[in-house]
Amino acid sequence: MHKSLRHVLSACLATGLMSSAALADDDAPAVFGWVEKATIEEPWGPEVKVKLDSGALTSSMQAEDIERFERDGEEWVRFVVEVEDEATGEVVSKTFERPIFRKLLLSGAGGEDRRPAVLMTLCIGDTRYEEQFSLEDRDDMTYPVLLGRRTIQDLGLLDVTRTFVHDLECDEDTPLRKHEDKDLDEDIGI
């Protein structure tokens, strides 16, 4: 879809001039609510609430006990994801090891924060997405996963008036949209 048409559709949705039903044809981008359900890293797959945050550029995921180490000359990170599974109400935990995809330096009112970013896979709706996530302890936050503009752009359109638009429908045959195949719009920020 041409970049300017995408911006017009986004503006129409934001102002309520176009309903998601009007975008229901096969060529139209999917519409997501500002909160959706997702599963992390199939087949582990705890169901979590994710916040789609157009104010953030990079997505972020709950991670504790973050430990950097070297493997075969590359920088890696080991971390624990501990979340409440929305489907069962149980707190579940898993340790992951991933190569560091990139290092982030975040600046804000509270100062600077350095975080590793890794590639992780989420299922949202009927598609699996390999996305870039910065790792941070989000225990004190309502949503263990925040999806930023880089991820939202790959999903489709964001309707800030809706929540839980998509049911989870991933299984072992669900297609994976790999991070390396993304075509990012340069206008989403640096």
Side-chain angles (χ1 to χ4, degrees), residues 34-132:
W34 72 275
V35 178
E36 292 286 348
K37 289 185 182 175
T39 55
I40 301 172
E41 287 289 323
E42 299 291 336
W44 180 48
E47 184 177 301
V48 295
K49 291 179 189 174
V50 298
K51 178 181 178 182
L52 283 73
D53 184 353
S54 64
L57 180 59
T58 303
S59 298
S60 179
M61 180 176 292
Q62 162 62 20
E64 299 174 12
D65 303 325
I66 299 169
E67 175 189 344
R68 295 171 191 250
F69 64 97
E70 191 173 302
R71 178 178 286 164
D72 299 326
E74 294 183 1
E75 290 185 82
W76 281 59
V77 64
R78 179 180 300 114
F79 56 98
V80 175
V81 174
E82 183 176 277
V83 293
E84 180 178 341
D85 188 328
E86 294 292 326
T88 65
E90 294 179 40
V91 174
V92 293
S93 177
K94 181 171 178 157
T95 301
F96 291 95
E97 291 183 352
R98 293 284 186 276
I100 294 177
F101 183 74
R102 71 185 185 114
K103 299 173 190 173
L104 300 174
L105 175 61
L106 303 158
S107 299
E112 290 185 346
D113 186 18
R114 294 183 184 276
R115 294 184 204 155
V118 299
L119 296 179
M120 298 284 285
T121 303
L122 288 180
C123 165
I124 302 174
D126 62 357
T127 306
R128 292 170 47 232
Y129 298 88
E130 181 184 54
E131 294 296 329
Q132 181 182 153

